[in-house]
Amino acid sequence: MNVLLDHLDLFRDGFIGTVSLTAASALLALVLGVLIAGFRVSPVPPLRAFGTLWVTLLRNTPLTLLFLVAFFVLPQIVFPGISSYVLGVLALGFYTSSFVCEAVRSGISTVPLGQAEAARSLGMTFVQTLRMVVLPQATRTVLPPLSSIIIALTKNSAIAGAFNNPELFSVQKVLSDKGFNVMVIFIWVALAYLVLVFLISGLFRLLERRLEVAR
Amino acid sequence: MSSVLFDTPGPKARLRNRIYAVIGSAALVALVAFVIYRLAAKGQLDGAMWDIFNYAGVRNSIVNGLVSTLTAFAMAGVLSLLLAALLAVARLSEHRAVSWVATSVIELFRAVPLLITIYVLWVGFFTSEPLWAVVIGLTLYNGAVQAEVLRAGILAVPKGQSEAAYALGMNKTQVMTTVLIPQAVRSMMPTIISQLVVTLKDTSLGFVITYEELLYAGRQMASTILVDGENPYVPVVLVFGAIYVAMCLALSGLANWIERRGRRAKTGIKVAEAAPVTPDMGAGA
């Protein structure tokens, strides 16, 4: 108990760090994921190929390797001196976007065929069909997998802690380097993650209930 | 080429699609060209940079890293499946206490990032043997996840199966081990293998606790070798990335193959779909 009370500000910063890393990379992953899912179902072959390549590559690479790319290769391509927060968000966001893309794509295929057919027969273009008819209806089926993707993202953000970002894993690391009992810190850090996980799944359950329709 | 989302393109649409295709490809090519240009400017693509892979020492350390990664993966894979079977059965147990314990173990280790579990095991118990920290950490996390997969499989076996087994006079252990689990494993095989792919990827977390697996070898190589005053980050990342992607694709290929084979069989028990599983695992820490 003392460890927690004595280092309350450290724990608070760690908690906020994890939340902000998760939120920023979730946003990036959602935008990229939906965009790439659109690419993957589009009528333009090069875009489809790009989407497939993106998903295959990112899903089969360990996140730690992506972090290495972000921290050692990316600064050479653009410019050095990007903050480790931005690099961490990029690695997490890109990695997660491939899972979001697959969730959205399978959501798209659960929308009844008649919907897209009706949209087309009204003369809507591909983008209009997707944006105004199919995607809004896919949202409902995408939410449950999305919830587990975001939870996984929260846990993955721990890796950013190993790369110079203040968050819960680095709290664990700093305090055990100071010689406090590992297990005691572990219990508090685990509790923080449990709270986060329950919050996220609660939030998504709320969203699901709001979007539910009686069929 | 057509789908529900767009009409079979007519002459106008074909032209438009072709224009988009050209613009899209041009943008991609430009991006790739920019990356190559910048990397070449930094000397990352010089022949000398890539020449490092011709040295026996470098090759040896790649092979050693690969062997350590595969060792950790094999041990963690087997142990996590054993733990999963145990936890799944325990969670389905009729004894309230047993099932409560199993449930809390599963929930705890699924909620805590694998990296933290591994780190705590390393600092607290296996400071000198990071291999065991990695293996036990992976076993706990993946055991918890696979237990849920197995439990879903067991619950999906038609009720008539266990009823028939009980009617034949089998006891609970016999019903579970000879009737339910074999069918559950069969129907969940693709999901189990997809989770094994995650296990394989997650061995790379050993990197953080100085377990000398593939990624660690790569990091060592990239930061210790100097070619013309530059570290060969790009060649190393490309080579090691390719190794990881190849290993994971081979395993996922196996999952898809089993799924396709399963669809051919006519036992009436559906084989779960392979690829994305519950992405909770897909993106496992």
Side-chain angles (χ1 to χ4, degrees):
Chain A
M1 198 68 198
N2 274 336
V3 184
L4 178 69
L5 291 180
D6 292 347
H7 299 92
L8 205 56
D9 52 337
L10 189 64
F11 273 98
R12 192 198 55 212
D13 289 350
F15 193 78
I16 293 175
T18 295
V19 171
S20 105
L21 271 173
T22 307
S25 33
L27 195 67
L28 177 64
L30 282 180
V31 172
L32 269 179
V34 173
L35 193 69
I36 305 268
F39 281 1
R40 286 202 73 173
V41 294
S42 79
V44 185
L47 292 184
R48 276 210 305 266
F50 172 71
T52 314
L53 186 74
W54 179 275
V55 170
T56 315
L57 271 187
L58 284 176
R59 275 213 326 196
N60 289 300
T61 332
L63 183 54
T64 332
L65 186 77
L66 278 187
F67 266 94
L68 286 186
V69 174
F71 278 76
F72 297 110
V73 179
L74 197 64
Q76 302 206 25
I77 295 176
V78 276
F79 51 90
I82 310 172
S83 78
S84 59
Y85 178 79
V86 174
L87 291 176
V89 167
L90 283 180
L92 284 169
F94 275 44
Y95 180 76
T96 311
S97 76
S98 65
F99 294 93
V100 174
C101 168
E102 285 305 271
V104 171
R105 205 169 63 107
S106 56
I108 288 175
S109 63
T110 60
V111 175
L113 294 186
Q115 297 288 332
E117 281 170 356
R120 272 164 51 204
S121 57
L122 287 177
M124 288 185 171
T125 62
F126 167 72
V127 177
Q128 283 173 326
T129 310
L130 206 58
R131 190 170 63 87
M132 308 206 287
V133 178
V134 175
L135 279 183
Q137 300 188 63
T139 319
R140 220 166 288 132
T141 43
V142 170
L143 276 182
L146 204 58
S147 141
S148 15
I149 292 175
I150 303 289
I151 288 176
L153 170 64
T154 313
K155 295 186 284 169
N156 285 335
S157 70
I159 299 179
F163 285 86
N164 260 338
N165 271 301
E167 52 78 69
L168 284 167
F169 172 68
S170 55
V171 171
Q172 165 92 46
K173 217 173 152 182
V174 167
L175 288 184
S176 37
D177 283 350
K178 281 188 184 165
F180 291 104
N181 189 339
V182 211
M183 290 314 286
V184 178
I185 315 165
F186 175 70
I187 289 169
W188 291 118
V189 170
L191 206 66
Y193 275 108
L194 275 172
V195 167
L196 271 179
V197 167
F198 281 127
L199 271 181
I200 294 174
S201 54
L203 195 73
F204 270 93
R205 218 165 305 135
L206 205 73
L207 264 178
E208 268 166 58
R209 214 164 318 131
R210 291 287 303 265
L211 291 176
E212 210 170 38
V213 280
R215 285 187 200 277
Chain B
M1 181 190 78
S2 83
S3 99
V4 237
L5 294 173
F6 47 86
D7 295 299
T8 314
K12 253 187 180 168
R14 258 201 304 267
L15 180 69
R16 203 172 51 225
N17 284 348
R18 229 167 263 154
I19 293 174
Y20 287 148
V22 169
I23 295 174
S25 322
L28 280 183
V29 168
L31 185 70
V32 171
F34 173 70
V35 168
I36 289 179
Y37 166 74
R38 292 288 297 179
L39 291 179
K42 297 269 179 192
Q44 288 285 346
L45 301 177
D46 290 354
M49 262 319 177
W50 290 84
D51 196 40
I52 58 170
F53 295 110
N54 280 330
Y55 292 104
V58 169
R59 286 188 180 171
N60 273 339
S61 70
I62 294 181
V63 170
N64 289 341
L66 195 57
V67 169
S68 319
T69 287
L70 290 177
T71 315
F73 167 62
M75 290 166 77
V78 173
L79 289 176
S80 67
L81 287 178
L82 290 178
L83 180 70
L86 202 70
L87 281 177
V89 172
R91 186 164 185 179
L92 289 170
S93 160
E94 282 161 13
H95 304 287
R96 192 68 66 74
V98 176
S99 112
W100 188 83
V101 169
T103 308
S104 31
V105 168
I106 290 174
E107 292 303 330
L108 174 70
F109 285 108
R110 277 200 330 166
V112 176
L114 177 55
L115 179 62
I116 292 187
T117 313
I118 290 180
Y119 182 80
V120 166
L121 285 168
W122 180 54
V123 175
F125 307 98
F126 300 101
T127 318
S128 52
E129 297 137 294
L131 169 65
W132 284 105
V134 173
V135 168
I136 294 177
L138 282 172
T139 303
L140 287 172
Y141 176 75
N142 290 292
V145 175
Q146 303 265 34
E148 288 298 277
V149 174
L150 264 186
R151 192 172 69 101
I154 291 174
L155 291 178
V157 175
K159 213 168 165 229
Q161 297 281 335
S162 58
E163 284 170 355
Y166 282 124
L168 288 175
M170 288 182 172
N171 60 29
K172 277 194 283 187
T173 318
Q174 283 173 320
V175 173
M176 189 54 85
T177 54
T178 63
V179 178
L180 294 183
I181 289 187
Q183 302 191 56
V185 169
R186 191 174 170 287
S187 68
M188 282 296 158
M189 201 42 128
T191 317
I192 291 174
I193 296 182
S194 309
Q195 182 59 28
L196 283 177
V197 173
V198 176
T199 312
L200 177 60
K201 287 199 304 183
D202 285 351
T203 55
S204 68
L205 291 175
F207 162 78
V208 176
I209 62 161
T210 71
Y211 174 55
E212 293 172 3
E213 41 76 57
L214 195 57
L215 200 63
Y216 187 83
R219 177 82 171 82
Q220 280 306 89
M221 213 179 278
S223 54
T224 50
I225 300 177
L226 273 181
V227 182
D228 299 332
E230 286 274 354
N231 292 110
Y233 278 118
V234 174
V236 167
V237 160
L238 285 180
V239 167
F240 283 75
I243 297 177
Y244 272 113
V245 171
M247 288 197 296
C248 293
L249 280 183
L251 257 183
S252 339
L254 184 68
N256 285 328
W257 180 71
I258 289 179
E259 188 204 336
R260 239 173 316 163
R261 259 186 65 107
R263 232 184 272 144
R264 224 167 46 199
K266 293 198 178 61
T267 47
I269 297 172
K270 264 177 46 198
V271 170
E273 222 174 90
V277 229
T278 61
D280 171 51
M281 339 168 162

